[in-house]
């Protein structure tokens, strides 16, 4: 998980640039209002009320999650950034079922997906990737400092205490949870953004929670925060191949998308890979490569101006250079 440290600097530099003057977070944890959507019987997504409007324009949306209600157990997916948002999610669950939240899963260690863990009842079992658990146990204070810088002070991040998972999924692991009449698969498809990424699959309704590796519908783009272009691309292709054509996908930050929508993210990464390879073969430097691989056809994403040249192209360059050295 060393690469996570790289991501601090990368992300900090990135966030600090466009938002430094505004003194405003990308989205405000004190203002987001969550709504839930019934996907199928006992299967619900929750996401910010303004998600549909924002995502259409390629603007950043706050975190999405959801819950699955079985005959005797409930699974919560993503515990959110702070107490306020956790409580909203808990209330949305309470409007559907009086059953307790037996399980909660974090799709990654990112604070907006996992900080709410500490507000869960002590009886709740928390499911995480083992890398996520390790990261939270070792780096929570650094992580909070980083999140406060980007999401602001007084957004409920200061009081967060670590509550790591007690059911851990090993690298490449997969297991099935029985909620009573509903089986839910928790799957590590491979490195997708952090190396501690879990996908949640409810096969009856064909619903997948993807977490941040699929951030939102087109024109949103993947963020290669921890590098690993090649692995991320291969993981997203695996996810695509796994899904039936009529699957519903709940991304990390937005409303429901389709399997076909994932193709956008795959195409983007494939194009970066091809173009950065050409640049490396020509002997271009990182700076020259960033200029050469401009990919304006993807610039509809509001964060494109920094996520593409500032994060993704450099990540691709380093990753492809490193694999060249290995060969
Ligand atoms: Zn997130």
């Amino acid at each position: 998980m060393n690469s996570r440290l790289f991501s601090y600097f990368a992300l900090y530099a990135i966030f600090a640039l466009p938002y430094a003057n505004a003194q405003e977070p990308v989205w405000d944890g004190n203002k987001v209002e969550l709504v839930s959507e019934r996907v199928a019987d006992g299967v619900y997504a929750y996401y910010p009320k303004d998600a549909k409007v924002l995502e259409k324009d390629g603007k950043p949306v706050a975190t999405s999650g959801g819950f699955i209600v079985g005959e005797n157990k409930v699974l919560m997916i993503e515990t959110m950034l702070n107490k306020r948002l956790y409580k909203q999610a808990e209330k949305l669950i309470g409007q559907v079922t009086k059953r307790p939240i037996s399980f909660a899963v974090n799709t990654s260690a990112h604070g907006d997906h996992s900080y709410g863990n500490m507000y869960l009842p002590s009886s709740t079992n928390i499911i995480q990737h083992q890398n996520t658990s390790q990261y939270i146990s070792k780096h929570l204070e650094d992580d909070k400092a980083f999140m406060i810088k980007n999401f602001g002070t007084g957004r409920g991040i200061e009081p967060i205490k670590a509550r790591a998972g007690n059911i851990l999924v090993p690298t490449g692991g997969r297991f099935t949870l029985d909620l009573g009449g509903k089986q839910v698969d928790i799957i590590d498809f491979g490195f997708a953004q952090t190396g501690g990424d879990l996908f949640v699959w409810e096969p009856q309704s064909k619903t997948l929670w993807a977490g941040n590796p699929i951030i939102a519908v087109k024109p949103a783009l993947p963020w290669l925060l921890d590098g690993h272009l090649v692995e991320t691309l291969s993981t997203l292709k695996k996810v695509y191949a796994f899904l039936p054509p009529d699957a519903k996908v709940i991304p990390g930050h937005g409303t429901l998308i389709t399997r076909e929508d994932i193709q956008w993210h795959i195409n983007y990464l494939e194009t970066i890979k091809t173009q950065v390879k050409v640049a490396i073969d020509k002997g271009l430097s990182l700076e020259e490569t960033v200029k050469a691989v401009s990919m304006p056809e993807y610039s509809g994403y509001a964060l494109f101006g920094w996520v593409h040249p500032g994060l993704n192209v450099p990540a691709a360059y380093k990753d492809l250079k490193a694999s060249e050295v290995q060969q």
Side-chain angles (χ1 to χ4, degrees):
M1 297 296 285
N2 280 348
S3 55
R4 175 78 185 172
L5 292 173
F6 157 76
S7 79
Y8 281 146
F9 300 114
L11 229 205
Y12 176 58
I14 288 156
F15 272 113
L17 284 174
Y19 295 100
N21 296 331
Q23 295 290 316
E24 280 290 323
V26 193
W27 47 264
D28 191 335
N30 287 347
K31 291 185 183 154
V32 173
E33 294 293 333
L34 296 176
V35 291
S36 71
E37 177 178 339
R38 185 184 172 280
V39 180
D41 191 31
V43 180
Y44 294 79
Y46 44 72
Y47 47 74
K49 200 164 72 179
D50 55 4
K52 283 195 173 112
V53 178
L54 292 172
E55 72 193 8
K56 245 197 339 209
D57 295 334
K59 291 182 179 155
V61 175
T63 321
S64 303
F67 56 99
I68 302 172
V69 183
E71 279 158 19
N72 38 43
K73 286 173 179 163
V74 176
L75 167 69
M76 178 181 200
I77 301 139
E78 315 292 31
T79 61
M80 317 310 267
L81 177 73
N82 57 21
K83 186 175 186 181
R84 180 181 170 273
L85 288 167
Y86 168 81
K87 286 287 173 193
Q88 282 189 30
E90 190 189 61
K91 196 171 161 195
L92 292 170
I93 297 173
Q95 286 166 0
V96 170
T97 178
K98 295 297 160 222
R99 281 165 219 150
I101 302 168
S102 301
F103 300 100
V105 58
N106 309 130
T107 59
S108 74
H110 287 180
D112 55 311
H113 300 253
S114 63
Y115 282 173
N117 287 2
M118 65 178 284
Y119 301 113
L120 283 160
S122 58
S123 56
T124 304
N125 290 291
I126 299 178
I127 303 160
Q128 289 173 338
H129 193 286
Q130 65 182 13
N131 290 344
T132 288
S133 168
Q134 240 173 49
Y135 174 79
I136 290 176
S137 304
K138 284 190 194 151
H139 300 291
L140 184 78
E141 287 313 310
D142 295 340
D143 197 78
K144 279 169 61 181
F146 161 77
M147 291 295 277
I148 289 166
K149 272 199 179 109
N150 292 305
F151 289 87
T153 55
R155 261 69 174 197
I157 299 170
E158 291 85 348
I160 299 302
K161 291 193 177 72
R163 183 165 167 201
N166 59 314
I167 300 177
L168 302 184
V169 182
T171 296
R174 171 185 179 148
F175 77 99
T176 303
L177 267 185
D178 188 356
L179 303 178
K182 271 201 197 311
Q183 314 277 322
V184 182
D185 297 319
I186 313 281
I187 309 169
D188 171 12
F189 279 104
F191 189 103
Q193 193 189 36
T194 67
D197 315 290
L198 293 179
F199 290 75
V200 179
W201 173 241
E202 200 284 303
Q204 262 173 11
S205 65
K206 303 179 195 172
T207 307
L208 181 85
W209 276 264
N212 288 341
I214 306 289
I215 197 147
V217 73
K218 168 187 175 177
L221 298 172
W223 301 12
L224 301 175
L225 289 173
D226 288 336
H228 302 271
L229 163 83
V230 176
E231 280 179 89
T232 303
L233 177 56
S234 115
T235 302
L236 293 192
K237 282 183 180 171
K238 256 190 242 169
V239 172
Y240 181 87
F242 168 84
L243 293 174
D246 55 345
K248 293 151 222 141
V249 179
I250 296 148
H253 291 257
T255 63
L256 272 69
I257 64 172
T258 64
R259 177 197 195 227
E260 242 6 79
D261 289 325
I262 295 178
Q263 196 60 54
W264 166 261
H265 302 258
I266 293 173
N267 290 347
Y268 169 75
L269 294 178
E270 197 84 76
T271 309
I272 286 202
K273 189 180 161 191
T274 308
Q275 295 197 10
V276 170
K277 248 191 185 155
V278 169
I280 290 173
D281 289 347
K282 280 188 192 158
L284 299 193
S285 68
L286 172 59
E287 288 69 25
E288 289 164 339
T289 301
V290 167
K291 269 194 205 127
V293 184
S294 59
M295 291 168 58
E297 65 275 28
Y298 289 95
S299 63
Y301 188 33
L303 305 180
F304 179 85
W306 55 268
V307 88
H308 181 76
L311 180 65
N312 291 345
V313 177
Y317 186 87
K318 279 169 203 159
D319 198 31
L320 292 170
K321 268 266 189 208
S323 64
E324 202 179 47
V325 169
Q326 276 167 21
Q327 277 162 15

